[in-house]
Amino acid sequence: MSPKITTELLKQLRQVMKSPKYVQEPVQAYIVPSGDAHQSEYIAPCDCRRAFISGFDGSAGTAIVTEQQAAMWTDGRYFLQAAHQMDNNWTLMKMGLKDTPTQEDWLVSVLPEGSKVGVDPFIIPADQWKRMSKALRSAGHDLVPVKENLIDTIWTDCPQRPCKPLITLDPSYTGVSWRDKIVALRSKMAERKVLWFVVTALDEVAWLFNLRGSDVEYNPVFFAYAVIGMNTIRLFIDGDRMMDPAVREHLQLDSTLEPEFKIQVMPYGSILSELQAVGAGLSPKEKVWLSDKASYALTEAIPKAYRYLTPYTPICIAKAVKNASETEGMRRAHIKDAVALCELFNWLEKEVPKGTVTEIIAADKAEEFRSQQKDFVELSFATISSTGPNGAIIHYKPVPETNRTLSVNEIYLLDSGAQYKDGTTDVTRTMHFGIPSAYEKECFTYVLKGHIAVSAAIFPNGTKGHLLDSFARSALWDCGLDYLHGTGHGVGSFLNVHEGPCGISYKTFADEPLEAGMIVSDEPGYYEDGSFGVRIENVVLVIPAETKYNFKNRGSLTFEPLTLVPIQTKMIDVNLLTQKEVLTYSISACFPWMVSPFPSPGGRKKLRKKGARKRMTGSPVPVRSKVGCFHNTVMQTSCVCPTATSESAAQAPSWAGSNRQGKH
């Protein structure tokens, strides 16, 4: 992977940083965040400004360019990728490591006295502006808004902003109509005594109106804002997509409605002026509710005395707690996903030894199998298909320059997912098509122990996800290993694969407590630079747990895995597992609704009832072993499940396995 040569681009940027055509006064530093005007993690090509100026295209990172230097802050998922993609004009700042300065500290250390630091006020969140402005001001510098984005002034071939058709979702998918969601939101507004609510996050707009789009690849969202009043609804959106009869019928745009449900459609670009008008018309004690992660520009449109800011909006929290229809949809989506991936693994088992399967071919084949499933829309992120040393690049994406051939001599890591109309999937499996080394099995097993520890955890109501992060790391820590990413993230329901406000990570203490109905990932890993990567990921549902006692009547929670994709058991060193871990893993292996690569007539019928597609040849379905359990966890030499016979173990391929909790 050749780095992008940025010498000329940086020269042009530094020129416009001083040009009176673009800035009122010269700025000595310019900040290029990774997000868009909606503070999205994944963005459209027209918003990839940081990637344009630096070459680094990971989903998280902030570039800062001064008159003499250029620096990039990113987290442990992207250390190797950023180092490969950026040229020597850039200094990589490895966030989370103790010797890495914060952006504010670095700016203070390199800027001349009384400097001005510029940033696009639409791209930087209000809470980040507040924190950075305070730090710079205390050192004698000023953070200043630059009205025109300076990257756009030098990006001559910037793509157009997408404006693609919308998808309508009826209550069979969403569980609640958009009108009922508006009523619930207004109830929350009344509780907080606010008159207006501003929706800026793209997935929150999509969720509120039961609409989906495709303006951002892999994320079924569309560019829009919404402003909800106690008696008005304003939707800011461009394009002729609002003329689609299905959309008009869905939003009842041509119907006679009560005034409080009549949607006013307004131009996307008019949001700032409309908010300024709202702010100017407020009476004393009237408030406008915004997320403190909304852009600084939109936040400033409302006078400070009239703002009501919270870290997470009621839409964000309601969206995270899935209702019964959304949960059932996620179950269906994961059954279909398991069918597709088991077919893929069966295909890989046959084709990899031939030496003709590359990382790109494997990724394309995974998409092909998924695309055959009902209600498939698109992938939920770019497939991470990585073998050997590429597996150590945590968010690696194969390109022709780096495309390795899968072999029987290297570990293969596949992190992939899909968007179905009934749910979003995200699953990682690590496998070997030959004989893994003792060290590779050891590392894999430590990761598996952490994965089991999280999945089997029982914890009190009110627990925040970051308190569970160490569960996943304990086995690795015991032998001096670790990984530089979070353990889990929230997952949307046919929405963004990364969703707040819940998660499992050492990096944040501002996450919301886990609640029954939330869906998160469980994905510990280990990465040996230059050699291999290991990650095991399931999507899990937070559910109530039954415990012997109930301290202060607060109740307990645990996780139910939704992912049904087998784990390759020949990667496991069983001797490193405790009896409890063996039991936990083996029980999950024998759950009647788990999947197995060996179809039986009864199993096919049963899985069809659960929603999988009819063509089942080679597809995963339950199989009853001779000992009476639905068994599909098999090793080459021994089986994790204590009830399996050696004869049943010999019948399954080396990659078969499972991980869903259940009973014999």
Side-chain angles (χ1 to χ4, degrees):
M1 181 186 300
S2 299
K4 180 174 183 176
I5 305 303
T6 62
T7 303
E8 182 60 29
L9 289 176
L10 290 172
K11 179 181 177 181
Q12 293 175 23
L13 177 59
R14 288 171 175 137
Q15 288 173 344
V16 298
M17 286 165 58
K18 298 180 289 187
S19 171
K21 181 179 179 181
Y22 303 111
V23 291
Q24 291 182 339
E25 295 182 71
V27 294
Q28 285 69 50
Y30 190 67
I31 302 172
V32 187
S34 66
D36 57 15
H38 303 267
Q39 288 63 58
S40 309
E41 178 184 7
Y42 294 100
I43 55 179
C46 58
D47 291 313
C48 295
R49 300 177 178 95
R50 189 209 63 223
F52 169 77
I53 195 63
S54 69
F56 168 54
D57 62 3
S59 66
T62 298
I64 301 181
V65 178
T66 69
E67 294 171 311
Q68 302 295 330
Q69 301 183 58
M72 177 69 68
W73 280 258
T74 192
D75 62 52
R77 295 173 296 170
Y78 295 112
F79 289 170
L80 290 178
Q81 179 179 335
H84 290 160
Q85 291 183 327
M86 297 190 304
D87 65 12
N88 58 12
N89 286 306
W90 291 85
T91 300
L92 177 59
M93 298 294 186
K94 299 181 178 181
M95 296 169 63
L97 302 188
K98 64 179 181 179
D99 294 329
T100 301
T102 65
Q103 296 167 31
E104 296 90 339
D105 288 344
W106 182 79
L107 283 167
V108 169
S109 71
V110 302
L111 289 176
E113 185 177 349
S115 292
K116 296 191 181 300
V117 179
V119 66
D120 183 338
F122 279 94
I123 307 301
I124 187 170
D127 61 343
Q128 184 181 343
W129 174 285
K130 181 179 179 180
R131 183 177 63 252
M132 180 169 280
S133 179
K134 181 179 178 180
L136 292 174
R137 189 168 56 250
S138 66
H141 308 298
D142 289 320
L143 184 63
V144 298
V146 179
K147 186 175 181 180
E148 185 166 1
N149 192 291
L150 298 186
I151 299 297
D152 293 351
T153 66
I154 64 172
W155 193 357
T156 55
D157 58 348
C158 178
Q160 292 292 312
R161 184 164 301 281
C163 189
K164 298 180 180 179
L166 302 178
I167 299 171
T168 61
L169 293 179
D170 62 53
S172 66
Y173 289 106
T174 66
V176 182
S177 70
W178 66 263
R179 289 178 50 146
D180 287 340
K181 290 180 179 181
I182 294 288
V183 170
L185 175 59
R186 285 174 172 156
S187 176
K188 292 291 185 182
M189 292 166 61
E191 289 176 13
R192 306 293 181 97
K193 299 180 180 179
V194 298
L195 195 62
W196 300 91
F197 184 89
V198 184
V199 192
T200 61
L202 298 183
D203 61 335
E204 293 188 18
V205 176
W207 181 88
L208 181 63
F209 291 101
N210 290 343
L211 293 170
R212 300 295 187 266
S214 57
D215 287 354
V216 179
E217 189 176 21
Y218 310 124
N219 296 265
V221 296
F222 50 94
F223 286 106
Y225 295 97
V227 176
I228 311 301
M230 296 306 291
N231 296 294
T232 61
I233 304 172
R234 302 178 189 177
L235 179 61
F236 298 81
I237 186 169
D238 277 347
D240 57 4
R241 50 191 172 183
M242 298 304 292
M243 300 307 295
D244 182 339
V247 174
R248 299 192 70 82
E249 180 180 357
H250 175 80
L251 296 178
Q252 298 178 282
L253 296 179
D254 301 315
S255 303
T256 302
L257 293 174
E258 306 93 315
E260 63 267 27
F261 292 113
K262 190 70 176 177
I263 297 175
Q264 304 171 49
V265 178
M266 310 186 77
Y268 174 75
S270 67
I271 180 65
L272 180 61
S273 60
E274 287 296 322
L275 273 187
Q276 289 170 336
V278 167
L282 293 171
S283 302
K285 295 186 178 181
E286 291 183 338
K287 298 285 186 179
V288 177
W289 194 345
L290 303 98
S291 166
D292 66 6
K293 296 171 182 59
S295 73
Y296 175 73
L298 294 187
T299 303
E300 283 293 299
I302 305 299
K304 187 174 182 179
Y306 300 103
R307 298 176 203 155
Y308 181 75
L309 303 180
T310 57
Y312 300 110
T313 70
I315 296 178
C316 178
I317 295 171
K319 176 168 56 64
V321 180
K322 275 60 178 179
N323 60 43
S325 296
E326 292 170 324
T327 300
E328 184 57 33
M330 290 289 276
R331 294 185 196 280
R332 290 195 303 270
H334 282 82
I335 290 173
K336 292 181 286 192
D337 220 47
V339 171
L341 285 182
C342 283
E343 288 186 314
L344 172 70
F345 294 164
N346 185 50
W347 182 83
L348 288 174
E349 187 90 1
K350 297 174 183 176
E351 298 299 322
V352 167
K354 299 177 184 178
T356 58
V357 180
T358 65
E359 294 167 330
I360 292 177
I361 289 174
D364 290 345
K365 198 70 176 179
E367 182 174 6
E368 176 187 327
F369 283 127
R370 281 186 165 110
S371 69
Q372 297 168 9
Q373 298 297 322
K374 181 182 178 182
D375 282 342
F376 172 84
V377 178
E378 63 176 334
L379 300 182
S380 56
F381 56 95
T383 298
I384 300 170
S385 174
S386 54
T387 188
N390 288 342
I393 303 173
I394 297 171
H395 271 203
Y396 169 82
K397 177 184 176 181
V399 294
E401 295 79 12
T402 64
N403 189 26
R404 290 175 65 88
T405 300
L406 277 62
S407 79
V408 296
N409 301 315
E410 293 181 336
I411 285 179
Y412 176 61
L413 186 156
L414 179 70
D415 185 346
S416 61
Q419 298 284 6
Y420 303 94
K421 284 188 72 174
D422 43 9
T424 301
T425 67
D426 181 3
V427 54
T428 307
R429 290 295 180 261
T430 305
M431 61 207 78
H432 202 297
F433 298 101
I435 301 176
S437 70
Y439 179 62
E440 290 170 337
K441 291 175 65 175
E442 181 183 9
C443 294
F444 182 95
T445 307
Y446 291 144
V447 173
L448 176 62
K449 286 166 74 73
H451 177 84
I452 292 172
V454 172
S455 186
I458 297 175
F459 47 93
N461 269 303
T463 299
K464 292 188 174 184
H466 71 262
L467 295 174
L468 304 180
D469 184 77
S470 61
F471 289 32
R473 300 178 192 272
S474 181
L476 289 162
W477 285 350
D478 283 347
C479 60
L481 301 178
D482 202 356
Y483 53 96
L484 296 176
H485 60 73
T487 297
H489 55 81
V491 180
S493 178
F494 186 30
L495 268 175
N496 296 355
V497 73
H498 289 176
E499 177 181 85
C502 54
I504 304 173
S505 176
Y506 66 96
K507 293 185 290 186
T508 177
F509 298 97
D511 50 324
E512 284 289 297
L514 295 169
E515 295 182 41
M518 287 182 170
I519 293 177
V520 298
S521 67
D522 169 12
E523 50 178 310
Y526 174 68
Y527 310 91
E528 187 90 4
D529 290 355
S531 296
F532 64 85
V534 172
R535 186 161 62 253
I536 302 171
E537 177 185 16
N538 283 355
V539 170
V540 297
L541 171 69
V542 183
I543 60 172
E546 293 185 8
T547 54
K548 183 176 181 180
Y549 303 109
N550 187 7
F551 181 72
K552 294 192 180 296
N553 202 36
R554 65 184 178 184
S556 296
L557 300 170
T558 189
F559 295 114
E560 175 195 336
L562 298 177
T563 302
L564 301 174
V565 179
I567 291 174
Q568 188 184 48
T569 51
K570 75 171 172 182
M571 289 291 293
I572 303 172
D573 183 345
V574 182
N575 296 319
L576 296 177
L577 297 176
T578 66
Q579 185 176 0
K580 182 178 179 180
E581 288 166 341
V582 170
L583 181 62
T584 301
Y585 186 83
S586 300
I587 287 175
S588 67
C590 300
F591 191 83
W593 296 116
M594 247 327 287
V595 291
S596 167
F598 296 101
S600 65
R604 291 180 189 172
K605 183 177 180 181
K606 191 175 294 185
L607 193 58
R608 283 178 190 152
K609 289 181 180 178
K610 296 293 286 186
R613 62 191 176 86
K614 293 182 179 180
R615 186 180 66 81
M616 296 303 298
T617 303
S619 301
V621 292
V623 178
R624 184 177 294 277
S625 74
K626 291 188 175 182
V627 294
C629 70
F630 289 84
H631 178 71
N632 62 341
T633 300
V634 183
M635 297 187 66
Q636 286 186 323
T637 56
S638 63
C639 180
V640 175
C641 178
T643 63
T645 65
S646 58
E647 182 179 350
S648 66
Q651 294 174 347
S654 63
W655 52 264
S658 73
N659 56 330
R660 178 157 180 166
Q661 296 181 9
K663 297 179 181 179
H664 285 270

